[in-house]
Amino acid sequence: MPPTAVNTSTKHTAPNLTVALVGAPNCGKSTIFNALTGLRQKVGNFPGVTVEPKRGDAHIDKTTTHLVDLPGMYSLLPKTPDEALSIAVLHGQHEKLPMPEAVIFVMEGTNLEKSLFLYAQFAALNIPTVVAVTMIDSIKASGGVFDDITMEHALGVPVIGIVGHRGIGLEELREHLALRGFSRPEARQNHIPTDGNIEAQHEWARNLASEVARIPELDSLTTKLDAFFLHPVGGPLIFLAVMLLFFQAIFVYATPMMDAIEAGFGALQSLAEAALPAGIIQDFVSRGVIAGVGAVIVFLPQILILTLFITLLEDFGYLARGAFLVDRIMGVFGLQGRSFIPLLSSFACAIPGIMSARIIASEKDRLTTILIAPLMTCSARLPVYVLLITAFIPSATLGGVVSVQGLILMGLYALGALSGLIAAKILKSTIFQGSKLPFLMELPPYRFPTWSSVLITLFNRTKQFLTSAGTTILALSIILWALGAFPRHTPPVGANSTQIASLQLEHSALGTIGKTLEPIFAPIGFDWKVTIGVLGSFAAREVFVSVMGQVYSVDISESDENLRTVLRSAISLPTALSILVFYVYALQCMSTIAVMKRETGSWKYPAIAFVYTLALAYSASLLVFRLAT
Amino acid sequence: MNEIPVGSSARIITYTQNDSFTERLREFGLIPGTIIRLLRKAPFNGPVEIQYRSSRLVLRPDEVAHMRLERIG
């Protein structure tokens, strides 16, 4: 073996540099970041206590540049947590992120005054900088001229014109990164008003903007489209149509894919059961591992469709318009316009709903939305509702038209939604109370989404879900399987497979827990069998149906009809109503809990959600059970 | 703002209070003397969109209340 004194570092590279992307919100920073780093970025970006700017490496000509995409800001006097983070990083005062050695300052070509105002304040920091002006094609398309030479003289740093989606200017920017072509603004020398006088800074910015770029008054396409999308009457109607399509997409179009995934994993289970000898190994592989992985993968169609839809709407510019239209209505419940999308998606499934809450910039509004999302009736509750309603509610009609069963079903949906909105109001006036952040929103110009950016978002969202929430869901599935499978029970001779399954469940740890908890659930009408069903639902709520089949030894592989008959004689109507109300409220879904943890960065919020929904569920069930008995 | 019909313009005379919110408005370039035009109002007395110079901005009505405006057309 040769001596180990090997220098593994490459000799020809310059030392690595940390460069921050700085700019106003919506100025095209992310497009540049994605173009420079490609798919090499490390983690996604979303606002919050867990604020974590996007980071990634750009490898150009054997050099490596660590890029940090700082949240957009309007000035160096912070008004929001996002701005405070960006400014702390620029001052080298952030706990984890290093002070950048240089900055790519991104300016929106069609709104230079805003960007130049920020630059006037930023210049005081005197950090080596290169300025990238985006959307110069829009200036040129509308008959304007972009004068980068004059701008370089005025700003004291290199200026590069960029057209992100066509790749124009990106090569020049890469060269600047590789050759470390940055300069310090030297504000005093260049007569940039850094002294904090907002009026003077705006005057400087306005004059320079009119000097370097002749820009038409307003983007005429945006004006025309807004006359259509924000029409006093047509606007809300279009919004309703978009939401309907959106709901349709996640609720209906995802179903065939989810069914296919479930069927696929079902086939895989049969295959494993056929290949392995009956016993604990077979049970573990089939009902533990395969079912657990299936429980993770089954969410992917909804997450992908939802993310695609939201990314397209956001990039196109419609999301901000939707928020504008419903802001007042959501405001009644202490929420804001952007809470609408996550809550609507939660009717399909709380998991994509909670993930989409990232579009809400205000931390308190985002957390409130996440905490109430599980109260929106998700599709997993439907099998439970349908089983109990068809078993216990007569299929009569009111006045020969309105079905009582349908009415009850609708009532359960309404109960959940209304309770959620009231909970939001309470949360916003208690734990999420506090100084109101200024609500200032810009309706961005309409733009055509770039496919690469959409695909990167889809890829990252999927990766995050699978690696972070997915592993937790899988682990919890296996634990739940183990609770139902141990300790092993030796079945009596002559028992059929349905009876064996029933006896195993009764004598398992889950069965013991159910019996132990029975006194707690007795006041709301649950015996230990129902309790096991409720506990088993933590894997997924629809599991209630199959667990009920198991505890009552009913073979439900053909139809639910036998189970309905058995349930009618086994439990009373008050108990059935109590279960229904319990399912409206209780957060008995470990996948939701895992995603909540992932999205809020701590177990605190899932714990709060679990406790408050359980308290609601228990009291509501108690009330219903008492009233019905 | 309630008295100004959609499509008409007004000049910002002054701000009736001085806090981080009105500072943010000034940072957006809405300094006293600026002429704004009311572009549209959202349903149910919701947010309003205004235009000034080459910028547009959405504000809530209770926040616009801090602006003293003079209608000019």
Side-chain angles (χ1 to χ4, degrees):
Chain A
M1 187 180 276
T4 51
V6 179
N7 184 2
T8 49
S9 71
T10 37
K11 289 163 201 161
H12 308 289
T13 57
N16 295 344
L17 199 69
T18 302
V19 174
L21 279 132
V22 173
N26 237 315
C27 65
K29 257 181 327 104
S30 297
T31 312
I32 292 184
F33 179 83
N34 287 339
L36 291 176
T37 58
L39 277 172
R40 288 184 293 273
Q41 35 173 296
K42 283 163 194 155
V43 285
N45 156 53
F46 53 99
V49 258
T50 49
V51 168
E52 215 177 331
K54 268 197 283 190
R55 296 164 77 177
D57 289 344
H59 302 283
I60 308 150
D61 297 342
K62 293 179 185 165
T63 65
T64 299
T65 307
H66 304 305
L67 285 172
V68 186
D69 187 8
L70 294 180
M73 54 185 166
Y74 290 112
S75 88
L76 257 62
L77 306 165
K79 309 286 188 293
T80 66
D82 276 8
E83 288 183 329
L85 173 116
S86 298
I87 291 158
V89 172
L90 288 178
H91 280 114
Q93 291 163 346
H94 193 272
E95 287 168 20
K96 290 175 194 157
L97 294 168
M99 186 174 172
E101 289 143 290
V103 161
I104 300 174
F105 194 107
V106 184
M107 296 193 180
E108 186 185 345
T110 49
N111 198 341
L112 272 179
E113 182 185 331
K114 186 174 67 180
S115 294
L116 287 169
F117 167 78
L118 177 63
Y119 184 85
Q121 300 193 334
F122 164 81
L125 303 173
N126 215 26
I127 301 172
T129 299
V130 58
V131 165
V133 181
T134 60
M135 289 181 278
I136 51 164
D137 56 333
S138 301
I139 303 176
K140 287 171 184 164
S142 47
V145 187
F146 173 64
D147 181 358
D148 51 346
I149 309 286
T150 308
M151 204 159 156
E152 281 190 356
H153 282 299
L155 301 182
V157 302
V159 173
I160 301 167
I162 305 254
V163 184
H165 59 276
R166 297 222 188 98
I168 294 168
L170 286 171
E171 204 43 54
E172 201 185 337
L173 186 58
R174 279 199 192 91
E175 274 171 31
H176 273 266
L177 280 185
L179 301 171
R180 314 308 194 204
F182 304 93
S183 310
R184 294 181 192 273
E186 305 296 354
R188 191 170 304 176
Q189 211 173 305
N190 290 304
H191 311 290
I192 303 169
T194 54
D195 63 352
N197 179 337
I198 293 172
E199 278 73 19
Q201 287 164 343
H202 256 292
E203 198 188 337
W204 174 82
R206 192 160 57 245
N207 290 338
L208 183 57
S210 60
E211 204 178 327
V212 299
R214 198 156 50 78
I215 304 165
E217 271 298 284
L218 277 171
D219 175 358
S220 59
L221 180 69
T222 295
T223 307
K224 277 179 202 149
L225 287 177
D226 269 344
F228 179 66
F229 284 120
L230 296 178
H231 186 272
V233 181
L237 290 178
I238 294 167
F239 179 76
L240 281 179
V242 171
M243 288 304 118
L244 198 68
L245 181 69
F246 171 77
F247 203 51
Q248 177 98 353
I250 44 177
F251 210 66
V252 180
Y253 302 154
T255 311
M257 284 189 263
M258 295 172 80
D259 289 348
I261 288 170
E262 276 174 350
F265 277 92
L268 213 57
Q269 280 180 314
S270 314
L271 217 63
E273 278 162 23
L276 296 164
I280 190 68
I281 305 271
Q282 183 215 62
D283 204 41
F284 172 73
V285 171
S286 160
R287 295 188 184 195
V289 177
I290 298 179
V293 174
V296 175
I297 306 290
V298 78
F299 291 117
L300 273 185
Q302 283 187 336
I303 288 175
L304 285 176
I305 291 180
L306 182 87
T307 309
L308 179 68
F309 207 88
I310 288 183
T311 311
L312 288 177
L313 285 185
E314 172 117 65
D315 290 2
F316 178 59
Y318 189 74
L319 214 51
R321 269 89 189 167
F324 173 77
L325 289 171
V326 296
D327 185 73
R328 183 73 197 97
I329 299 165
M330 300 308 287
V332 173
F333 304 101
L335 293 168
Q336 54 155 299
R338 293 207 156 201
S339 303
F340 196 79
I341 299 259
L343 293 181
L344 189 72
S345 348
S346 297
F347 279 100
C349 175
I351 288 164
I354 287 169
M355 290 176 77
S356 66
R358 295 175 189 198
I359 58 174
I360 304 169
S362 151
E363 184 57 24
K364 286 173 178 171
D365 287 356
R366 191 173 78 90
L367 289 173
T368 306
T369 307
I370 287 176
L371 286 180
I372 67 160
L375 289 183
M376 305 302 125
T377 300
C378 66
S379 51
R381 284 159 166 124
L382 205 53
V384 182
Y385 289 176
V386 168
L387 174 72
L388 291 171
I389 289 176
T390 49
F392 286 91
I393 309 294
S395 57
T397 53
L398 291 178
V401 188
V402 186
S403 143
V404 178
Q405 293 184 338
L407 212 58
I408 299 265
L409 186 64
M410 210 178 80
L412 293 171
Y413 271 80
L415 183 64
L418 201 64
S419 306
L421 291 175
I422 294 170
K425 186 79 187 159
I426 294 170
L427 286 168
K428 279 306 291 286
S429 42
T430 53
I431 60 170
F432 294 128
Q433 199 188 18
S435 63
K436 231 172 73 180
L437 291 173
F439 175 82
L440 287 167
M441 186 170 71
E442 286 172 286
L443 302 183
Y446 290 98
R447 285 172 201 160
F448 277 102
T450 52
W451 282 108
S452 60
S453 147
V454 171
L455 288 176
I456 287 171
T457 310
L458 276 180
F459 176 80
N460 284 337
R461 215 44 68 82
T462 310
K463 198 173 90 178
Q464 278 168 15
F465 173 74
L466 290 180
T467 53
S468 183
T471 46
T472 316
I473 295 171
L474 178 62
L476 290 172
S477 297
I478 291 175
I479 290 171
L480 200 70
W481 165 83
L483 287 176
F486 294 102
R488 298 305 284 173
H489 176 72
T490 320
V493 186
N496 66 32
S497 65
T498 321
Q499 287 165 333
I500 293 174
S502 170
L503 286 166
Q504 170 58 42
L505 197 56
E506 181 179 348
H507 292 92
S508 70
L510 198 61
T512 313
I513 295 171
K515 284 176 182 169
T516 315
L517 292 181
E518 193 177 1
I520 300 174
F521 286 102
I524 59 172
F526 295 5
D527 61 7
W528 69 267
K529 290 181 174 180
V530 175
T531 306
I532 290 184
V534 170
L535 293 176
S537 293
F538 277 94
R541 289 181 178 94
E542 66 266 31
V543 167
F544 180 81
V545 179
S546 59
V547 175
M548 285 292 99
Q550 275 186 44
V551 288
Y552 288 110
S553 311
V554 181
D555 188 358
I556 52 164
S557 53
E558 295 298 319
S559 124
D560 287 355
E561 189 47 46
N562 297 336
L563 182 57
R564 282 197 286 269
T565 315
V566 171
L567 279 181
R568 266 196 293 271
S569 56
I571 62 179
S572 64
L573 174 67
T575 296
L577 293 176
S578 173
I579 298 172
L580 282 175
V581 173
F582 194 87
Y583 273 81
V584 168
Y585 290 111
L587 172 47
Q588 42 194 161
C589 173
M590 58 191 183
S591 309
T592 303
I593 291 173
V595 168
M596 243 186 219
K597 195 257 167 191
R598 163 77 182 96
E599 295 295 302
T600 60
S602 87
W603 286 106
K604 182 179 152 198
Y605 295 102
I608 292 175
F610 183 74
V611 170
Y612 101 85
T613 55
L614 191 65
L616 267 180
Y618 194 89
S619 2
S621 289
L622 187 67
L623 187 73
V624 166
F625 187 65
R626 282 292 139 88
L627 286 178
T629 308
Chain B
M1 186 63 81
N2 281 330
E3 295 94 70
I4 298 168
V6 169
S8 58
S9 302
R11 182 184 285 116
I12 304 172
I13 314 243
T14 183
Y15 287 102
T16 53
Q17 66 179 57
N18 196 359
D19 56 9
S20 73
F21 180 70
T22 53
E23 183 177 88
R24 174 51 38 104
L25 290 178
R26 290 191 294 127
E27 286 168 353
F28 267 80
L30 287 164
I31 41 196
T34 306
I35 292 168
I36 62 171
R37 194 159 79 91
L38 181 61
L39 287 178
R40 66 190 99 250
K41 295 176 174 177
F44 309 114
N45 197 25
V48 298
E49 189 182 14
I50 59 166
Q51 182 197 326
Y52 58 101
R53 294 195 294 279
S54 59
S55 301
R56 290 172 172 190
L57 194 61
V58 171
L59 301 155
R60 287 192 178 133
D62 54 337
E63 293 164 342
V64 185
H66 302 312
M67 279 179 191
R68 185 169 296 156
L69 297 169
E70 172 193 47
R71 195 178 155 186
I72 55 170

